[in-house]
Amino acid sequence: MIPKVEISGVDTASLPTLSAQELQELLIQVKSGDEAARERFIHCNLRLVLSVVQRFLNRGEQADDLFQVGCIGLIKAIENFDLKHEVRFSTYAVPMIIGEIRRHLRDYTALRVSRSLRDTAYKAMQTKNRLQDTSCKEPTIAEIAKEMSLPEEEVVFALDAIAEPVSLYEPVFHDDGDALFVIDQIKDTKTSEQKWLNSISLEEGISSLNEREQKILRLRYFVGKTQMEVSREIGISQAQVSRLEKGALKHLQKYV
């Protein structure tokens, strides 16, 4: 929760609450051009902004700044909301408020993204929304790129550049007080714990061999030479190479 009662000069403890019916009637007045009703409607929906802001308090931004940005999203939602929509205003407004806050976090993050790249990404998102409204299904990157007359790689790169960073320790699920974090959902298939331990054990085992045995294993398994080639390089017979190699491998089995 936001650790204070007043935020951006607004006493959050005294914010009014109206029923869905009252809000709908007030919204009709707003759309008819009633400025007083508009101011009241905004004031009555500040709790909605406050609830959204609480989701972003761990991003290092001041709560007052996020609240003001959220209010901009609320005003945009009021201006763009169509009474013909068969949805509650809050259902329409929340994504608008979230989008405005995320845009603010992207534009003012410490990780700077070039203006041209941001412009490409925003145009791509607008194109995506337009295509989705037209076809009633989410467009593919290829369709977005074709509509923008841009290479697919450029569109993907632009969208990735403005993607909001997520903390590895951000909770994604709660179950009776036990949080599941993003890091719990990540698995490194290339460097698993078992492979890592085997690698350490192998290094320890090789270091315990004598210099000639180490050289034989390096030439055979890291360089890829045959026993005959190794024998010529070291100056011993192939039979001796084979015997030393088998002995060294048997020794390594104690470690791995």
Side-chain angles (χ1 to χ4, degrees), residues 110-128:
L111 183 62
R112 305 306 299 170
V113 178
S114 70
R115 184 73 183 182
S116 60
L117 203 57
R118 287 204 307 269
D119 288 345
T120 300
Y122 295 151
K123 289 177 183 177
M125 290 189 292
Q126 291 172 352
T127 302
K128 174 185 176 182

Side-chain angles (χ1 to χ4, degrees), residues 62-73:
Q62 292 293 325
D64 296 75
D65 294 339
L66 294 179
F67 185 75
Q68 291 178 38
V69 174
C71 288
I72 294 174

